[in-house]
Amino acid sequence: MQDHVSSAMSDSNLELTLDVLPALTVILLTAAVVGRLATLLGQPRVLGEIVAGILLGPTLFGWLAPGLQADVFPAHTRPVLHVLSTIGLTLYMFLVGAGLDPARHESDRKHHPAVLALSGFLPSLVLGGLVGLLMWDDLSPEDVGRWEFSLFVGGALSLTALPMLARMLYERGLQNSRLGRLSLIAASIDDAAAWCFLAALTAVHTGSGAANALPMIGYSLLFTAVMLLGVKRLLRPLARHVGPQGTLSPGVMHVVVIVPIVCGYLTDLIGIYSVFGGFVAGLAMPRDPRFRQALHNRMMDTVSTLLLPIFFCLSGLTTDLRGISADTLLFGVAVLLTGFAGKYFGSTLAMRTLRFSWREAFAVGGLMNARGMMILIFINIGLAQGLITKPVFSVLVVVAVVTSAAALPLYRRALPKRLETQLDNKAPTPAPAPRSLAGVGRPDGAATYRRRIENPIHPDNTPLH
C-alpha cells in the first residue's frame, strides 16, 4: 500500500514537472525575444519583458489560441509559478534595497533630493486619489472603502521605478552625473515612501478597520526597527569577506540568500507581503561599495533573467484588456493623464526651483515617470489583498507600460546626447566679481557684471542655460 502511494506521488510530481518546465521555457523565450525588441527600439529590456507577460495572457495568446494557452499554462502549474515569482520578487526587492546608496554627495546636499521626491510623489498621490474618489462607486470592490480605494490608486501612481531608472542612467553612463545622482536618490525616497504607504494601507484593509490593524502596523514597525537597528550591525562583518576579485564566498552567499527569504516569510506572517521583508533585508545589508557591487554581480542576472519573467507572465495572465467597460476605460485615461502630469510637471517645477535649466528639468520630469515593474508589484499586492478588481488591475498595467515607455523618449527630447556631457562636465570658472561697487563703473567691471547677469552660474559652476 505504501509503495503504491509513493509511486502515485512520484508519477504526480513527474507530471507536474513536465507541465512546469514547458511553461518556463515559453516564458523565458518570449521574455528574451520581446526584451530584445524593446532594446532595439531604445527601451529598457525590462519593459519588453512586461509586455511579453501581457502577450502571453488572455489579451493576445488566450484570445488567439485559448486551448493552446490552457495547455501551456494549466491551472495546476499556477501555484508553482506563483511560488517561484514570489521568491524572485523577494530577492529582487532585496537587491533593490541593498543597492540604495544613502551617501550624500556635495551636489546632492545643495539640490535637496527630498524636494524632487516630494514634488513627484505628492501631486501624483493627490491627483490619483481624486480619480479614485470619483470612480469608487463604479469600480471599487464591495468591501473596500472610498478612501482605501482612492489612496491605493494615488499610491500606485506616486511610484518611480528605481531599478528601471537606474538601468536607463547606466545605459547612458549618467549614474554618477548630477542629474543621475539626484534622480536616483529622489526615486529611492519615492519608492520607500510608497512601500510604507502600501504596508499601512494593507494593514488597515486586512484588519477590517484601523483599530484592528494597529497590531499589524506595530509588528511591521517592530520588524523594521529590529532589522535596521539590530540585525544590520550583525551583518556588517559580511563586507570584510569580499574576495580580491570582487566575489563573495559560498558561506557569505548562504547568509545573503537566507536573510531575505526569512524576512519575506516573517512579513508574510505579519500580513504585509514578502516583498517588504526582502526590501528591508536589503536595507540591512552592509553599505560597503565593493560588497554591494559583488552582491549585484552575483545575483542580479539570475534573478532578473530566470525569476522575474515568471512574475511578468503571471501579471499578464491576470491582465485581460478585451472586456474593459466604458467606465474602466474612462478610469484608465484619467489615471494615465493625472499620473503622468503629477510626476512630470511636479518634478519639472521642482528642478527649476532647484535652479536647473529647463532642459534638465524636463529631462528629469520624463525620467521620474518610469514606473516599470514597481507599480506591477504594487498593484499585484493590491489585487491579492482585494483592494482592486481585475479590470482596474488590467488598466493600471497599461498605465505602467505607457508611462514607462514615454520616460526615455521624453528624456532624449529634452536632453539630447550632445548636450549631456556639456551640462554635466562643462564647468567654466565664474568671472571674477568686481572688488567693489565702484569697480562696476570701470570698463572691465561693467563687462564682468553684464556677463554675470546675462549668464548666471549654477551653484556647481555649470551654466543654467
Side-chain angles (χ1 to χ4, degrees):
M1 180 67 179
Q2 186 175 0
D3 292 341
H4 178 72
V5 172
S6 300
S7 177
M9 290 180 61
S10 177
D11 291 342
S12 176
N13 291 336
L14 178 60
E15 181 181 352
L16 181 61
T17 303
L18 291 176
D19 286 335
V20 169
L21 292 181
L24 280 177
T25 302
V26 171
I27 292 170
L28 297 180
L29 282 175
T30 307
V33 172
V34 184
R36 177 58 179 165
L37 290 176
T39 59
L40 292 177
L41 294 174
Q43 293 288 348
R45 187 188 70 184
V46 66
L47 185 62
E49 293 171 350
I50 294 173
V51 174
I54 297 174
L55 297 180
L56 289 175
T59 300
L60 183 65
F61 190 20
W63 174 57
L64 294 176
L68 180 59
Q69 193 217 31
D71 290 337
V72 174
F73 302 110
H76 63 276
T77 64
R78 303 288 179 90
V80 178
L81 296 177
H82 175 74
V83 171
L84 291 175
S85 70
T86 300
I87 294 173
L89 279 180
T90 303
L91 294 178
Y92 186 80
M93 290 303 296
F94 164 72
L95 293 173
V96 170
L100 294 184
D101 187 1
R104 296 172 65 87
H105 299 268
E106 181 74 20
S107 61
D108 298 330
R109 285 194 293 270
K110 291 177 181 177
H111 300 140
H112 305 297
V115 175
L116 176 59
L118 289 175
S119 67
F121 184 89
L122 291 179
S124 300
L125 178 65
V126 172
L127 293 174
L130 289 175
V131 174
L133 280 175
L134 294 175
M135 303 295 292
W136 173 75
D137 286 328
D138 300 317
L139 299 177
S140 174
E142 293 182 0
D143 61 336
V144 176
R146 182 184 297 271
W147 287 104
E148 288 181 46
F149 181 74
S150 62
L151 289 175
F152 179 86
V153 174
L157 297 180
S158 67
L159 281 160
T160 293
L162 177 63
M164 179 176 284
L165 177 60
R167 183 174 293 186
M168 290 178 179
L169 293 172
Y170 271 94
E171 287 175 355
R172 300 180 74 84
L174 296 175
Q175 68 275 14
N176 290 315
S177 66
R178 291 182 301 115
L179 291 183
R181 289 196 305 266
L182 182 60
S183 301
L184 288 172
I185 296 174
S188 69
I189 295 173
D190 273 358
D191 286 356
W195 293 125
C196 294
F197 183 81
L198 180 59
L201 189 61
T202 302
V204 170
H205 176 69
T206 56
S208 301
N212 292 331
L214 288 178
M216 187 180 298
I217 296 174
Y219 286 132
S220 304
L221 294 175
L222 177 62
F223 167 79
T224 304
V226 169
M227 288 298 299
L228 299 184
L229 299 178
V231 177
K232 184 174 184 177
R233 295 183 179 181
L234 299 177
L235 295 174
R236 283 178 185 170
L238 294 178
R240 297 198 295 263
H241 295 278
V242 181
Q245 303 299 323
T247 57
L248 299 177
S249 66
V252 172
M253 285 304 303
H254 279 96
V255 175
V256 162
V257 173
I258 289 173
V259 169
I261 295 296
V262 171
C263 289
Y265 172 74
L266 292 176
T267 49
D268 257 338
L269 284 180
I270 293 173
I272 57 171
Y273 212 68
S274 60
V275 295
F276 299 116
F279 183 69
V280 174
L283 294 177
M285 285 290 127
R287 298 291 97 185
D288 180 78
R290 293 182 68 243
F291 176 85
R292 292 166 58 229
Q293 186 62 44
L295 182 63
H296 183 278
N297 293 342
R298 189 75 178 268
M299 293 183 64
M300 183 56 82
D301 285 343
T302 301
V303 172
S304 61
T305 303
L306 175 62
L307 298 176
L308 282 186
I310 301 173
F311 166 71
F312 297 142
C313 177
L314 288 180
S315 297
L317 293 176
T318 311
T319 303
D320 190 356
L321 303 178
R322 296 173 300 171
I324 290 181
S325 64
D327 288 337
T328 309
L329 183 60
L330 177 63
F331 170 78
V333 174
V335 294
L336 177 62
L337 294 177
T338 55
F340 175 83
K343 279 285 184 184
Y344 189 70
F345 294 110
S347 300
T348 298
L349 293 176
M351 291 292 287
R352 285 296 296 162
T353 302
L354 298 174
R355 300 185 62 192
F356 281 87
S357 69
W358 278 111
R359 281 189 175 275
E360 292 171 301
F362 283 124
V364 171
L367 288 178
M368 297 298 284
N369 253 299
R371 291 176 173 87
M373 64 170 297
M374 303 300 276
I375 189 175
L376 289 186
I377 300 173
F378 196 97
I379 62 178
N380 267 277
I381 296 174
L383 184 63
Q385 298 292 344
L387 286 164
I388 55 174
T389 60
K390 284 188 177 181
V392 172
F393 173 89
S394 300
V395 165
L396 290 175
V397 170
V398 175
V399 170
V401 172
V402 173
T403 56
S404 299
L408 201 53
L410 286 172
Y411 173 86
R412 288 171 176 156
R413 183 173 181 84
L415 201 60
K417 188 72 174 178
R418 60 185 173 81
L419 296 178
E420 287 176 350
T421 305
Q422 296 177 20
L423 286 171
D424 195 62
N425 296 328
K426 185 179 179 181
T429 303
R435 294 186 178 181
S436 65
L437 290 177
V440 177
R442 299 195 304 267
D444 57 336
T448 298
Y449 180 77
R450 185 170 58 255
R451 285 197 302 270
R452 291 176 65 83
I453 292 297
E454 293 174 353
N455 187 25
I457 300 297
H458 192 277
D460 282 345
N461 292 333
T462 56
L464 287 174
H465 306 293

